[in-house]
């Protein structure tokens, strides 16, 4: 399955609490993503907490957009990526 980097821009600081509420929010996102065949692998958050860079496995960019709409999440860009690690060469 293709892997993608999704950039998101938020108007306010992104806050996912380290609590049961945060667990529920992430589980809801993962469930809705699954309905579109999308798997959220992990995310990086900018220091100002206004941008995220998320790694997803998905059948297509449109599946990511569909899941994002259903989750109420913005999508600034979607780039298909592949893994490259310096350890591959050692």
């Amino acid at each position: 399955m293709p892997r993608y980097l999704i950039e998101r821009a938020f108007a306010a600081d992104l806050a996912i609490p380290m609590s049961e509420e945060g667990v529920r929010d992430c589980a809801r996102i993962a469930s809705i993503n699954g309905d579109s065949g999308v798997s959220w692998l992990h995310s990086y958050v900018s220091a100002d907490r206004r941008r995220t860079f998320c790694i997803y496995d998905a059948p297509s960019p449109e599946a990511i957009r569909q899941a994002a709409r259903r989750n109420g999440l913005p999508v600034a860009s979607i780039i298909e990526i592949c893994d490259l690690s310096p350890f591959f060469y050692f």
Side-chain angles (χ1 to χ4, degrees):
M1 182 170 302
R3 182 159 289 173
Y4 297 92
L5 170 73
I6 296 87
E7 180 180 2
R8 303 182 193 283
F10 297 89
D13 292 1
L14 175 66
I16 299 176
M18 298 295 285
S19 65
E20 286 299 316
E21 179 187 357
V23 170
R24 283 190 304 273
D25 289 347
C26 288
R28 180 186 51 77
I29 289 168
S31 176
I32 290 171
N33 285 351
D35 292 342
S36 298
V38 172
S39 295
W40 174 25
L41 302 179
H42 62 272
S43 296
Y44 300 96
V45 181
S46 64
D48 65 3
R49 304 193 64 78
R50 296 213 171 178
R51 291 182 5 178
T52 60
F53 303 88
C54 307
I55 308 300
Y56 277 66
D57 284 341
S60 68
E62 185 51 40
I64 294 167
R65 286 186 193 92
Q66 178 185 38
R69 279 191 298 273
R70 292 184 60 216
N71 278 310
L73 294 171
V75 174
S77 65
I78 299 174
I79 302 166
E80 188 169 352
I81 60 172
C82 61
D83 290 333
L84 175 63
S85 170
F87 304 108
F88 177 78
Y89 296 97
F90 296 103

